Amino acid sequence: MALVDYSALGGVALLTLNDPPANAYTHEMMKDLDAAILAARFDAEVQVIVITGAGDKFFCAGAKIGMLRDADPTFKYYFCLHANETLSRLEHTPKLCIAALNGHTVGGGLEIALACDIRIARKNAGKIGLPEVALGVLPGTGGTQRLARLVGGSRAIQLMCEGKTFDFETGHQLGLVNEIYEAPSHQEYLERVIAYARGFTLPNRAALAVGRIKRAVQTGLEVGLEQGLALERELQAELFASDDAREGLAAYMEKRKPIFRGK
């Protein structure tokens, strides 16, 4: 049985971490997530990826502690390496990725969310944080690096060394959460997130441009300014050569709504 459910409709791929009660991940779940990311990447009909957790209690509680306790050091090293590769693959995919935080998002669960481009939480649905220090380890699936890039080095060190978890409102103030949706049910919350995601799909939004904006930022943050500007120019040249750019410029001049086709 797959531990990550995959569905695609209306330009949006929905990836659901599904291992109740906490949707904690194992190597098997990470392999399923890796496969789902690749499926969404290669699906020409998909322009946006949404990742969420099954149920209304947990987005993801991170790695299964029992698995880590019982595994030998070599397995644990390669487990972390593959998890890092999986989340890097998500970042490298030139399609917008939204994390729908439907419940508690802690430890490795937050690390998955940090690899997404936008994080939308359900109001009062759970806690968020990186408490790995209480286990005598550090956030080992990109948390030390991605958190620092979001909130700055000093604040990231404080949050990880204190190991506290906090509500989504605090996460919003810190910049970990982009938006908080109030919804009476999990289903209505998820429908709102997917509706938001569809706002970035064809034919109303230039999905090619959205994906290249993501790539410019994700890669540009990791290199010097001159290299980042060079990447920006190359991506812009690619977009200028597209049918969508010609359509967007023509629609502006003709005072009409553009119809983008992703080409």
Side-chain angles (χ1 to χ4, degrees):
M1 183 183 71
L3 297 171
V4 177
D5 298 332
Y6 181 94
S7 63
L9 184 66
V12 176
L14 178 63
L15 283 55
T16 304
L17 310 178
N18 190 3
D19 191 10
N23 301 322
Y25 60 79
T26 55
H27 183 45
E28 287 70 27
M29 179 185 277
M30 269 295 162
K31 288 191 289 185
D32 286 350
L33 180 59
D34 204 359
I37 292 166
L38 287 173
R41 177 188 286 186
F42 279 92
D43 189 338
E45 300 300 315
V46 168
Q47 296 113 51
V48 181
I49 301 168
V50 173
I51 300 180
T52 193
D56 59 2
K57 299 296 184 183
F58 282 89
F59 172 80
C60 177
K64 280 195 175 179
I65 304 303
M67 177 206 67
L68 293 176
R69 179 198 61 203
D70 298 336
D72 63 69
T74 300
F75 176 88
K76 282 185 257 195
Y77 175 82
Y78 286 118
F79 167 72
C80 289
L81 175 60
H82 175 256
N84 270 283
E85 290 168 338
T86 297
L87 298 187
S88 292
R89 202 183 320 280
L90 186 64
E91 282 184 329
H92 294 164
T93 299
K95 300 183 180 187
L96 192 69
C97 181
I98 299 170
L101 309 184
N102 55 297
H104 298 300
T105 305
V106 295
L110 178 53
E111 291 179 294
I112 293 173
L114 289 174
C116 296
D117 307 305
I118 297 172
R119 287 159 293 280
I120 301 176
R122 183 182 174 198
K123 187 175 178 64
N124 298 325
K127 299 287 188 178
I128 189 171
L130 294 173
E132 284 89 344
V133 69
L135 302 175
V137 297
L138 54 73
T141 312
T144 62
Q145 303 306 301
R146 292 188 178 97
L147 185 67
R149 283 160 172 75
L150 270 181
V151 304
S154 178
R155 179 58 61 86
I157 291 170
Q158 179 185 13
L159 290 172
M160 288 183 285
C161 288
E162 290 179 351
K164 294 178 181 177
T165 60
F166 37 87
D167 58 30
F168 289 137
E169 283 75 15
T170 301
H172 185 260
Q173 293 167 9
L174 290 168
L176 301 181
V177 174
N178 295 79
E179 303 287 345
I180 298 176
Y181 287 176
E182 189 166 4
S185 71
H186 169 72
Q187 186 59 35
E188 290 178 74
Y189 158 73
L190 192 56
E191 287 173 358
R192 282 193 65 188
V193 175
I194 291 175
Y196 174 75
R198 288 211 171 106
F200 297 98
T201 63
L202 304 170
N204 297 316
R205 189 68 62 94
L208 275 179
V210 170
R212 274 54 184 180
I213 289 169
K214 166 184 174 166
R215 290 302 315 131
V217 173
Q218 292 284 16
T219 299
L221 284 173
E222 305 306 317
V223 299
L225 178 60
E226 286 303 315
Q227 292 88 346
L229 292 172
L231 171 64
E232 181 183 272
R233 288 192 296 272
E234 293 302 316
L235 292 171
Q236 183 73 302
E238 179 184 341
L239 290 172
F240 275 145
S242 70
D243 292 341
D244 277 358
R246 285 186 283 274
E247 166 64 7
L249 294 169
Y252 179 85
M253 296 301 295
E254 296 163 13
K255 298 184 174 12
R256 61 174 174 83
K257 185 177 179 179
I259 300 174
F260 296 111
R261 303 189 184 281
K263 297 180 180 179

